[in-house]
Structures are given as structure tokens and as C-alpha cells.
């Protein structure tokens, strides 16, 4: 049996990751691809509970503890869902993965990208995406999109502008280091244009 593909979607909050993930799931399913959509942190029971913790604006969580909580949720997701799905031939569309921790905790929280990478290599057993779609949006535009939503902002979304500037810069550096895996897409385009650009970046895998 052919192994499934792991496709991750990355970018700043407000870049449109969730919308793109849902559209890609529908498009791939229409093409006869067995595909499952999951999110991070989350996707399985324990990871969803961790999600509630790390997003709770009422909680104070230290930077290292935050990085470890994300890694713990990721470890459970890999073991309980990602590995079985990929081995069964199912494609997985994953809203965030290790690159998020490298950008948000490594750079945003200034813990160091390499240190956070080591923790996550252990957490994932070395699992890497087959392709990563990085939605690139100006941090100010991303924040304005968040403010336009009806939902209250979560603990990370409430961070100051310089935090998101560091995250955005880190994503750019990650993409420059791994251009074959990480494909950048202009998130300022229309949803249809973003979807078509994403499909073009996946065409060699289909």
C-alpha cells in the first residue's frame, strides 16, 4: 500500500489557514484522494485538552512550558492519528505542525529555533511533512482579520505586534532553508486564488 501524504498548512493567525484546509479537503476528496483534515494543537482527545490550556487567556504559561505543551500534544497526535492514517494510505491535511512551534515559540517567545526543533524531533519521532503550504500575510493585515472576527482573541492572538513580527520573520527564514518542502503562497489574494496556488504547489504529489 502506498503511504499517504502529510500536507501541513502554516502561517500567522489570520492568514486563512483554516479556510484553505477545508477547501483543499473538499478538492482532494473530489479527486478521489482519501484525505483527513486535522488541526494543531488538537486532532485527538488529549491534544484537544492541551489546546484548551494553551489558548486560555486567563492562564499564565511560561514560554518553556508552552513549547513543551505543544510538543506533548503533537507527540500524541503523531502516535494516535498521523502515523496510522499515513500508513493506511490516507492523506492528512494538518492545520499547523512543527514549523508553528519553531516560529511561535522558537522565535516569537525567543526560546531559540534550534532548541525548539530538538524537542519536536523527539516528540514526532522525526516525522516531517511531504509538503508545507506557508500562507504569507503582513502581520498587521493578519491582526486586522482577527479583530474583524466575532470570536474573542485567545492567549497567543493577544500578543503584541513585535511578537508577530518575529514569528513572520522566522517563517520566512524557515521557507528559505527548505524551499523544496515549504512553498509560500500570497495570503492576500482571493480565497479562490489561494486555493489554486495551493493546488499548483501540490500537483507533483497528486
Amino acid at each position: 500500500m502506498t503511504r499517504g501524504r502529510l500536507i501541513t498548512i502554516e502561517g500567522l493567525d489570520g492568514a486563512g489557514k483554516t479556510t484553505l484546509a477545508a477547501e483543499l479537503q473538499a478538492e482532494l476528496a473530489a479527486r478521489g484522494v482519501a484525505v483527513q483534515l486535522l488541526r494543531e494543537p488538537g486532532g485527538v482527545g488529549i491534544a484537544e485538552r492541551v489546546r484548551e490550556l494553551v489558548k486560555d487567556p486567563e492562564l499564565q504559561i511560561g514560554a518553556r512550558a508552552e513549547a513543551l505543551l505543544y510538543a506533548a500534544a503533537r507527540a500524541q497526535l503523531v502516535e494516535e492519528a498521523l502515523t496510522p492514517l499515513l500508513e493506511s494510505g490516507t492523506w492528512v491535511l494538518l492545520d499547523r505542525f512543527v514549523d508553528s512551534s519553531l516560529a511561535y515559540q522558537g522565535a516569537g517567545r525567543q526560546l531559540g529555533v534550534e532548541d525548539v526543533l530538538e524537542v519536536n524531533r523527539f516528540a514526532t519521532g522525526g516525522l516531517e511533512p511531504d509538503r508545507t503550504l506557508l500562507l504569507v500575510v503582513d502581520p498587521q493585515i493578519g491582526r486586522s482579520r482577527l479583530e474583524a472576527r466575532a470570536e474573542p482573541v485567545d492567549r497567543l492572538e493577544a500578543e503584541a505586534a513585535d511578537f508577530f513580527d518575529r514569528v513572520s520573520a522566522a517563517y520566512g527564514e524557515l521557507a528559505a532553508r527548505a524551499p523544496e518542502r515549504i512553498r509560500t503562497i500570497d495570503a492576500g489574494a482571493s480565497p479562490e486564488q489561494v486555493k489554486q496556488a495551493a493546488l499548483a504547489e501540490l500537483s507533483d504529489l497528486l
Side-chain angles (χ1 to χ4, degrees), residues 23-167:
E23 291 181 346
L24 285 179
Q25 180 186 30
E27 185 72 31
L28 292 173
R31 298 186 183 198
V33 176
V35 58
Q36 178 134 356
L37 173 58
L38 296 170
R39 67 178 182 176
E40 272 216 330
V44 295
I46 291 174
E48 287 291 338
R49 292 193 184 187
V50 173
R51 183 184 185 88
E52 294 173 11
L53 289 174
V54 296
K55 289 187 169 288
D56 188 343
E58 300 299 317
L59 295 179
Q60 289 189 342
I61 302 175
R64 286 181 174 80
E66 181 181 273
L68 291 169
L69 283 167
Y70 277 107
R74 188 165 291 134
Q76 187 66 25
L77 180 68
V78 168
E79 181 176 338
E80 189 176 336
L82 296 186
T83 298
L85 284 168
L86 294 171
E87 289 179 350
S88 74
T90 300
W91 283 44
V92 178
L93 288 172
L94 186 54
D95 187 343
R96 296 197 179 283
F97 196 49
V98 173
D99 292 309
S100 280
S101 282
L102 303 184
Y104 277 78
Q105 283 74 51
R109 297 291 192 217
Q110 299 178 301
L111 292 177
V113 169
E114 293 305 319
D115 287 343
V116 175
L117 179 58
E118 283 304 310
V119 170
N120 279 276
R121 279 182 177 143
F122 174 74
T124 64
L127 178 65
E128 291 190 359
D130 294 283
R131 186 65 41 82
T132 297
L133 304 173
L134 173 59
L135 298 183
V136 178
V137 66
D138 182 275
Q140 290 185 332
I141 294 175
R143 287 175 72 84
S144 66
R145 288 178 178 178
L146 291 177
E147 291 167 359
R149 297 186 318 188
E151 310 165 21
V153 296
D154 64 34
R155 199 176 58 82
L156 269 81
E157 292 169 349
E159 286 294 330
D162 60 341
F163 174 85
F164 292 102
D165 289 341
R166 290 194 297 272
V167 172

Side-chain angles (χ1 to χ4, degrees), residues 7-11 17 20 24 93-94 99 129 131-136 181-185 194-195 197-202:
I7 310 299
T8 60
I9 303 175
E10 294 283 354
K17 297 179 305 303
L20 175 61
L24 285 179
L93 288 172
L94 186 54
D99 292 309
R131 186 65 41 82
T132 297
L133 304 173
L134 173 59
L135 298 183
V136 178
R181 174 175 69 84
I182 303 177
R183 308 295 175 86
T184 59
I185 296 171
V194 170
K195 183 182 79 169
L199 288 169
E201 296 296 356
L202 297 177

